[in-house]
Amino acid sequence: ENYGTISGSFGTILIGANDDAVYNNHVGTIYAPGARIGYYDSFRLFGGAASQGTFSQAGVASDQIGIHYTSPSLSGFQVYGSYHPSSNSDGGTDTNNPVFENADYYAIGASYNGDFGDFGFGISAGYTGDHPGGDLITVGANVSASGFTVAGSYENTDPTGPGNDRDEYAFGAQYSTGPWTIGGGFRDEETVGEQGAAWVTYGLAPGVLFTAGVEYSDANGVAGSDFGGLAFLTMRF
Protein backbone atom coordinates (compact mmCIF):
# COMPACT_ATOMS: atom_id res chain seq x y z
CA GLU A 1 0.00 0.00 0.00
CA ASN A 2 1.34 3.41 -0.98
CA TYR A 3 -0.75 6.53 -1.40
CA GLY A 4 -1.25 10.18 -0.61
CA THR A 5 -4.31 11.87 0.87
CA ILE A 6 -5.89 15.32 0.89
CA SER A 7 -8.44 16.04 3.64
CA GLY A 8 -10.66 18.96 4.55
CA SER A 9 -14.26 19.95 5.17
CA PHE A 10 -15.09 18.28 1.83
CA GLY A 11 -13.92 14.87 3.11
CA THR A 12 -10.86 12.83 2.15
CA ILE A 13 -9.42 12.10 -1.29
CA LEU A 14 -6.89 9.27 -1.50
CA ILE A 15 -4.82 8.52 -4.60
CA GLY A 16 -2.53 5.51 -4.86
CA ALA A 17 -2.40 1.79 -4.19
CA ASN A 18 -4.88 0.74 -1.53
CA ASP A 19 -7.71 -1.74 -0.94
CA ASP A 20 -11.05 -0.59 -2.33
CA ALA A 21 -13.45 1.71 -0.49
CA VAL A 22 -15.87 -1.07 0.52
CA TYR A 23 -13.06 -3.09 2.12
CA ASN A 24 -11.64 -0.11 4.01
CA ASN A 25 -15.01 0.98 5.45
CA HIS A 26 -16.53 -2.41 6.25
CA VAL A 27 -17.65 -2.64 9.90
CA GLY A 28 -18.73 -6.29 10.19
CA THR A 29 -15.41 -7.97 10.95
CA ILE A 30 -13.33 -8.33 14.12
CA TYR A 31 -9.55 -8.66 13.79
CA ALA A 32 -6.67 -9.44 16.07
CA PRO A 33 -4.08 -6.62 16.14
CA GLY A 34 -2.40 -6.35 12.76
CA ALA A 35 -4.98 -8.73 11.22
CA ARG A 36 -2.43 -11.56 11.39
CA ILE A 37 -4.90 -13.93 13.02
CA GLY A 38 -8.40 -13.80 11.54
CA TYR A 39 -11.41 -15.63 10.23
CA TYR A 40 -12.38 -13.20 7.43
CA ASP A 41 -9.41 -11.33 6.00
CA SER A 42 -6.77 -11.37 3.28
CA PHE A 43 -3.85 -12.10 5.62
CA ARG A 44 -4.32 -15.80 6.19
CA LEU A 45 -1.90 -17.56 8.48
CA PHE A 46 -1.23 -20.54 6.23
CA GLY A 47 0.58 -21.08 2.96
CA GLY A 48 -0.99 -24.49 2.33
CA ALA A 49 -3.24 -25.22 -0.62
CA ALA A 50 -6.30 -25.67 1.61
CA SER A 51 -6.29 -22.03 2.64
CA GLN A 52 -4.99 -20.13 -0.38
CA GLY A 53 -6.50 -18.64 -3.49
CA THR A 54 -10.19 -19.38 -2.86
CA PHE A 55 -11.41 -17.51 0.21
CA SER A 56 -12.48 -13.89 -0.21
CA GLN A 57 -13.07 -10.97 2.15
CA ALA A 58 -15.36 -7.96 2.40
CA GLY A 59 -14.85 -5.89 -0.71
CA VAL A 60 -11.54 -6.31 -2.54
CA ALA A 61 -8.16 -6.25 -0.78
CA SER A 62 -5.79 -5.99 -3.73
CA ASP A 63 -3.80 -2.78 -3.21
CA GLN A 64 -4.92 -1.87 -6.71
CA ILE A 65 -4.00 1.67 -7.81
CA GLY A 66 -7.02 3.99 -7.83
CA ILE A 67 -8.68 7.14 -6.56
CA HIS A 68 -10.88 7.07 -3.43
CA TYR A 69 -13.28 9.50 -1.82
CA THR A 70 -14.73 9.40 1.70
CA SER A 71 -17.25 12.04 2.77
CA PRO A 72 -17.20 13.86 6.11
CA SER A 73 -19.17 12.19 8.88
CA LEU A 74 -22.67 13.66 9.18
CA SER A 75 -24.05 12.53 12.55
CA GLY A 76 -22.26 9.22 12.01
CA PHE A 77 -23.24 8.75 8.35
CA GLN A 78 -20.64 8.57 5.59
CA VAL A 79 -20.56 7.70 1.90
CA TYR A 80 -17.50 6.57 -0.02
CA GLY A 81 -16.31 5.20 -3.31
CA SER A 82 -13.25 4.24 -5.30
CA TYR A 83 -12.35 3.76 -8.95
CA HIS A 84 -9.53 1.46 -10.01
CA PRO A 85 -8.38 1.68 -13.63
CA SER A 86 -6.69 -1.14 -15.46
CA SER A 87 -3.21 -1.45 -13.97
CA ASN A 88 -1.89 -1.91 -17.50
CA SER A 89 -3.38 1.37 -18.77
CA ASP A 90 0.03 3.07 -18.50
CA GLY A 91 1.97 0.01 -19.62
CA GLY A 92 3.38 -0.43 -16.14
CA THR A 93 1.27 -3.35 -14.86
CA ASP A 94 1.15 -1.58 -11.49
CA THR A 95 -0.33 -4.32 -9.34
CA ASN A 96 0.58 -7.32 -7.22
CA ASN A 97 -2.36 -9.24 -8.73
CA PRO A 98 -2.27 -9.96 -12.50
CA VAL A 99 -6.08 -10.35 -12.67
CA PHE A 100 -6.34 -6.54 -12.66
CA GLU A 101 -3.96 -5.91 -15.54
CA ASN A 102 -6.73 -5.46 -18.11
CA ALA A 103 -9.76 -4.59 -16.03
CA ASP A 104 -11.31 -1.44 -14.54
CA TYR A 105 -13.63 -1.70 -11.55
CA TYR A 106 -15.34 0.52 -9.00
CA ALA A 107 -16.69 0.31 -5.44
CA ILE A 108 -19.35 2.43 -3.70
CA GLY A 109 -20.88 2.27 -0.25
CA ALA A 110 -22.26 3.95 2.85
CA SER A 111 -21.95 3.42 6.59
CA TYR A 112 -23.22 4.60 9.93
CA ASN A 113 -21.34 4.48 13.24
CA GLY A 114 -22.77 5.84 16.46
CA ASP A 115 -22.49 5.66 20.23
CA PHE A 116 -25.50 5.85 22.54
CA GLY A 117 -24.12 6.01 26.06
CA ASP A 118 -22.31 2.71 26.64
CA PHE A 119 -23.88 1.15 23.56
CA GLY A 120 -22.21 1.32 20.15
CA PHE A 121 -23.66 0.43 16.76
CA GLY A 122 -22.30 0.32 13.22
CA ILE A 123 -23.62 -0.77 9.84
CA SER A 124 -22.16 -0.65 6.33
CA ALA A 125 -23.23 -1.67 2.83
CA GLY A 126 -21.31 -1.63 -0.41
CA TYR A 127 -21.32 -2.66 -4.05
CA THR A 128 -18.31 -3.53 -6.19
CA GLY A 129 -18.99 -3.48 -9.93
CA ASP A 130 -17.18 -4.57 -13.08
CA HIS A 131 -14.77 -6.56 -10.93
CA PRO A 132 -12.95 -9.31 -12.87
CA GLY A 133 -13.82 -11.81 -10.13
CA GLY A 134 -17.52 -10.91 -10.27
CA ASP A 135 -19.71 -8.15 -8.85
CA LEU A 136 -20.01 -8.09 -5.04
CA ILE A 137 -22.72 -6.97 -2.62
CA THR A 138 -21.39 -6.58 0.92
CA VAL A 139 -23.23 -5.85 4.20
CA GLY A 140 -21.76 -5.63 7.70
CA ALA A 141 -22.90 -4.68 11.20
CA ASN A 142 -21.56 -4.60 14.74
CA VAL A 143 -22.86 -3.83 18.22
CA SER A 144 -20.85 -3.21 21.38
CA ALA A 145 -21.64 -2.76 25.09
CA SER A 146 -19.84 -3.31 28.41
CA GLY A 147 -16.64 -4.52 26.76
CA PHE A 148 -18.40 -6.97 24.42
CA THR A 149 -18.47 -6.58 20.62
CA VAL A 150 -20.39 -8.77 18.20
CA ALA A 151 -20.06 -8.41 14.42
CA GLY A 152 -21.57 -10.06 11.35
CA SER A 153 -20.98 -9.92 7.59
CA TYR A 154 -22.76 -11.09 4.47
CA GLU A 155 -21.42 -11.01 0.93
CA ASN A 156 -22.86 -12.16 -2.38
CA THR A 157 -20.67 -12.52 -5.44
CA ASP A 158 -21.11 -13.95 -8.95
CA PRO A 159 -17.62 -15.20 -9.85
CA THR A 160 -18.72 -16.87 -13.09
CA GLY A 161 -21.58 -14.58 -14.10
CA PRO A 162 -25.29 -14.09 -13.28
CA GLY A 163 -27.05 -17.21 -12.06
CA ASN A 164 -23.96 -18.54 -10.29
CA ASP A 165 -24.14 -16.41 -7.14
CA ARG A 166 -22.15 -17.44 -4.08
CA ASP A 167 -23.15 -16.46 -0.54
CA GLU A 168 -20.73 -15.88 2.30
CA TYR A 169 -21.46 -15.41 6.02
CA ALA A 170 -19.08 -14.42 8.83
CA PHE A 171 -19.63 -13.89 12.56
CA GLY A 172 -17.22 -12.73 15.24
CA ALA A 173 -17.12 -11.62 18.87
CA GLN A 174 -14.64 -10.21 21.33
CA TYR A 175 -14.49 -9.12 24.97
CA SER A 176 -12.10 -6.56 26.45
CA THR A 177 -11.40 -5.97 30.13
CA GLY A 178 -8.37 -4.11 31.46
CA PRO A 179 -5.30 -5.10 29.42
CA TRP A 180 -6.97 -8.30 28.10
CA THR A 181 -8.90 -8.88 24.89
CA ILE A 182 -10.30 -12.24 23.81
CA GLY A 183 -11.78 -12.66 20.35
CA GLY A 184 -12.64 -15.05 17.57
CA GLY A 185 -15.01 -15.87 14.75
CA PHE A 186 -16.11 -18.18 11.96
CA ARG A 187 -17.04 -17.81 8.32
CA ASP A 188 -18.65 -20.07 5.74
CA GLU A 189 -18.32 -19.37 2.03
CA GLU A 190 -20.71 -21.34 -0.19
CA THR A 191 -18.94 -23.91 -2.43
CA VAL A 192 -15.56 -22.73 -1.10
CA GLY A 193 -15.16 -23.76 2.54
CA GLU A 194 -14.95 -22.66 6.16
CA GLN A 195 -12.46 -20.73 8.24
CA GLY A 196 -12.25 -19.97 11.95
CA ALA A 197 -9.90 -18.26 14.39
CA ALA A 198 -9.53 -17.38 18.08
CA TRP A 199 -6.99 -15.20 19.88
CA VAL A 200 -6.09 -13.46 23.12
CA THR A 201 -4.27 -10.12 23.35
CA TYR A 202 -2.54 -8.63 26.40
CA GLY A 203 -1.36 -5.02 26.70
CA LEU A 204 2.21 -5.22 27.97
CA ALA A 205 2.73 -1.43 27.95
CA PRO A 206 1.18 1.60 26.24
CA GLY A 207 1.27 0.81 22.52
CA VAL A 208 2.77 -2.68 23.00
CA LEU A 209 0.45 -5.66 22.55
CA PHE A 210 1.18 -9.39 22.79
CA THR A 211 -1.18 -11.68 20.87
CA ALA A 212 -1.42 -15.47 20.65
CA GLY A 213 -4.01 -17.26 18.56
CA VAL A 214 -5.01 -20.19 16.39
CA GLU A 215 -6.52 -20.35 12.92
CA TYR A 216 -8.24 -23.13 10.97
CA SER A 217 -9.36 -23.39 7.36
CA ASP A 218 -10.86 -26.13 5.23
CA ALA A 219 -11.36 -25.44 1.52
CA ASN A 220 -13.88 -27.59 -0.31
CA GLY A 221 -12.44 -29.56 -3.18
CA VAL A 222 -8.89 -29.36 -1.80
CA ALA A 223 -7.38 -32.33 0.01
CA GLY A 224 -6.84 -31.74 3.70
CA SER A 225 -7.19 -28.69 5.91
CA ASP A 226 -4.86 -26.36 7.80
CA PHE A 227 -4.62 -25.65 11.53
CA GLY A 228 -1.91 -23.67 13.26
CA GLY A 229 -1.02 -20.95 15.71
CA LEU A 230 0.91 -17.72 15.92
CA ALA A 231 2.26 -15.49 18.69
CA PHE A 232 3.50 -11.98 17.98
CA LEU A 233 4.09 -8.47 19.34
CA THR A 234 2.44 -5.38 17.91
CA MET A 235 3.88 -1.93 18.59
CA ARG A 236 1.86 1.21 17.91
CA PHE A 237 3.23 4.75 18.13
Side-chain angles (χ1 to χ4, degrees), residues 81-179:
S82 58
Y83 171 70
H84 305 263
S86 166
S87 62
N88 202 30
S89 60
D90 63 354
T93 61
D94 310 304
T95 181
N96 58 12
N97 190 338
V99 74
F100 297 108
E101 288 183 4
N102 296 293
D104 303 354
Y105 81 97
Y106 65 92
I108 55 175
S111 63
Y112 171 78
N113 291 278
D115 293 315
F116 307 91
D118 294 331
F119 176 81
F121 174 75
I123 187 169
S124 64
Y127 176 77
T128 304
D130 296 337
H131 183 260
D135 295 351
L136 293 82
I137 298 172
T138 306
V139 179
N142 67 65
V143 293
S144 60
S146 303
F148 288 94
T149 301
V150 178
S153 298
Y154 166 76
E155 185 163 274
N156 175 274
T157 183
D158 56 347
T160 57
N164 295 285
D165 291 7
R166 187 169 71 202
D167 294 324
E168 184 174 14
Y169 303 89
F171 302 94
Q174 76 175 16
Y175 174 67
S176 297
T177 178

Side-chain angles (χ1 to χ4, degrees), residues 19 22-24 26-43 56-59 61 149 151 153 172-174 181-185 197 199 201 211 232 236:
D19 308 321
V22 171
Y23 179 93
N24 279 318
H26 181 68
V27 303
T29 306
I30 295 172
Y31 296 104
R36 296 302 168 181
I37 295 285
Y39 59 95
Y40 189 35
D41 58 16
S42 60
F43 301 107
S56 62
Q57 60 283 318
T149 301
S153 298
Q174 76 175 16
T181 298
I182 301 171
W199 61 87
T201 296
T211 301
F232 57 94
R236 298 174 175 174

Side-chain angles (χ1 to χ4, degrees), residues 216-235:
Y216 168 83
S217 65
D218 186 2
N220 297 340
V222 180
S225 59
D226 280 321
F227 178 83
L230 182 68
F232 57 94
L233 283 173
T234 305
M235 292 182 285

